[in-house]
Amino acid sequence: WSVVCHAIGNLGVETCVGAIEEALRRERGGEGKVRMDHAMFLTRDLISRIKALGIWVVGQPSFLYDLGPVDAGEGVLVRPFGRILAAGIPQAFSSDFPCGTLSPLVGIYAAATRRTRSGEADHPEQAIPVQAALEAYTINAARAGGLERECGSLEPGKRADLIVLDRNPLEVSPEELPRLKVLKTLVAGEEVWP
């Protein structure tokens, strides 16, 4: 079975990581079948333990955009997308809608700029490149859900779920991302919008 654990605070993540460590000691066949959603507040020790477990972390950059800066106290990293990426932990993104803004373009903007809805900077040292944020919403999201053979990238034999934008998100400044226009949406190769 694949398991998705939801843990937000560092105590919740600590409890989750401990349970995963114990489960994998008992059943090594579970490796690669666990992911953790949210993991918003991490310590350096928790990041090391997550890396050792090889589990996916699925974050929500739109929370940063919508909810603004958070002071979590000494030694706690808030939404540490950059640290997770640098550690080599597999990372995917989602919106967690309706708790966060649905638009992946807004999430990519938040991950790449670390800016809130009001433009306030929040831990800018944790910003990641636009390319990495785009992959976190596409192929990595498919991998985290075990669907990479079906979707997440444009390849022969996969579902053609895609959007057409008015500009290339990799060729505009990150500040422009929320203003990109969706010209067309296709699901399984069928145009569903406009």
Side-chain angles (χ1 to χ4, degrees):
W1 290 18
S2 294
V3 176
V4 178
C5 302
H6 286 240
I8 294 180
N10 53 306
L11 179 58
V13 173
E14 170 80 31
T15 303
C16 180
V17 167
I20 295 167
E21 287 168 338
E22 179 61 26
L24 292 178
R25 271 195 289 277
R26 293 180 187 192
E27 180 52 62
R28 297 304 307 176
E31 288 179 355
K33 296 183 179 182
V34 180
R35 79 176 208 219
M36 185 184 323
D37 283 21
H38 308 307
M40 286 173 44
F41 303 100
L42 299 175
T43 62
R44 287 172 176 75
D45 176 62
L46 283 171
I47 290 171
S48 296
R49 290 170 65 193
I50 290 167
K51 165 80 174 157
L53 291 170
I55 61 176
W56 281 89
V57 171
V58 180
Q60 294 72 35
S62 61
F63 287 3
L64 182 155
Y65 180 79
D66 291 327
L67 303 176
V70 175
D71 181 12
E74 186 72 27
V76 178
L77 303 169
V78 181
R79 303 176 190 105
F81 308 133
R83 178 71 64 136
I84 290 169
L85 182 67
I89 295 170
Q91 179 171 231
F93 290 151
S94 73
S95 69
D96 203 45
F97 183 79
C99 297
T101 298
L102 184 58
S103 171
L105 291 169
V106 170
I108 294 167
Y109 162 81
T113 66
R114 299 295 295 200
R115 298 242 174 232
T116 67
R117 183 183 297 273
S118 66
E120 188 175 0
D122 183 37
H123 299 93
E125 73 282 1
Q126 295 299 333
I128 63 172
V130 171
Q131 176 76 37
L134 186 60
E135 290 172 2
Y137 272 106
T138 56
I139 189 60
N140 284 355
R143 288 175 180 143
L147 300 170
E148 67 274 16
R149 288 190 178 104
E150 300 169 36
C151 61
S153 61
L154 298 176
E155 298 178 56
K158 289 187 176 184
R159 288 182 7 204
D161 296 342
L162 62 111
I163 59 172
V164 178
L165 299 171
D166 66 337
R167 290 173 284 160
N168 184 338
L170 299 174
E171 294 177 356
V172 301
S173 72
E175 289 75 20
E176 289 292 311
L177 291 169
R179 293 187 286 283
L180 296 181
K181 302 289 182 221
V182 177
L183 303 176
K184 190 180 291 190
T185 304
L186 289 87
V187 176
E190 297 292 323
E191 190 173 317
V192 297
W193 189 85

